[in-house]
Amino acid sequence: MLLCRTTPLDELNLWALGGTGLVAGILGSALGVGGGFLIVPILTLALGLPIKVAIASSLVAIVANSCTAAGMYTKARITNIKLGLLLETVTIPGAIIGGFIAAIIAPSILSAIFGLALIYAAYTMITPKYLTSEDNLSTDNSIAPNSTTDNLSGSLANSYYDQNLDKVVTYKVNRIPAGLGTGFFSGVLSSLLGIGGGVVNVPVMHLIMGVPMKAAIATSTFIITITAAAGALIYHYYGHIYPFIIAPLAIGIVIGARIGVELTQRARGALLRRIFGVFLLIIAILMFLKTANII
């Protein structure tokens, strides 16, 4: 068995797995990205697991993270469930396709693709225009919906109470066709790279569809719950899921998810996203070095 030859069970540090899950849970739920961008590099670079096993473990851990965070966001009425279900119609097929693609791609190619995706994620976290928070958004969206999707846009309109701003934020959902198109791509990335797809979902909902940042994060978390589960089933079919890896990851990530949700509701999070972006850029460089057999 590949896992036993590469990383024997008695050499795995359960505390390191739990700590990885904790940090991934905090950042993943706070940013709506699932946490896979932390889990996969740490499992491969620090713990020496095969990348496909790392991705499979990440997807299962992301489900635990997202279920916890999504429940809290939904209870706080921040999640736009209608929008989430609409996007799921394209992210789930994408996740299934991504899972099958990953099963036949060489690990070195996956590492390179993952590095490129990390650079994109870092760019979205660091670039100022992607750091726009909901306090800079008008509660009366300035982008008018297309006439052909006006009724659907109106049905997806939502509102929530922002603890940081101490007011109710009301918004409409715009550019729905563009959101659906990129949602499919998000699903493919979710299974292909074990990232949950949130790194695509959040910028798309916030920048293209006009959804406030906190609502985009909450809705992305809801979407990831189902999308990551679909991808995890494919990896389970190919035998890449190991409970003794996932258990400590899941414990840490559930605890971290609760902390992350509180951070999102109470803080603006711009500094946190910048720090996260820099970290992703460093990990991307390490992944490229690993692909080139330099490390």
Side-chain angles (χ1 to χ4, degrees), residues 157-222:
N158 205 353
S159 63
Y160 66 93
Y161 174 73
D162 189 307
Q163 292 185 17
N164 182 46
L165 302 177
D166 192 25
K167 70 177 182 179
V168 175
V169 176
T170 303
Y171 62 93
K172 296 180 292 185
V173 178
N174 302 309
R175 298 174 180 171
I176 296 173
L180 291 173
T182 52
F184 176 80
F185 176 67
S186 168
V188 173
L189 280 181
S190 171
S191 290
L192 187 61
L193 304 177
I195 61 174
V199 72
V200 178
N201 290 333
V202 173
V204 166
M205 282 188 282
H206 182 54
L207 299 174
I208 296 178
M209 306 182 80
V211 178
M213 181 60 74
K214 289 186 180 179
I217 289 173
T219 305
S220 173
T221 302
F222 172 77

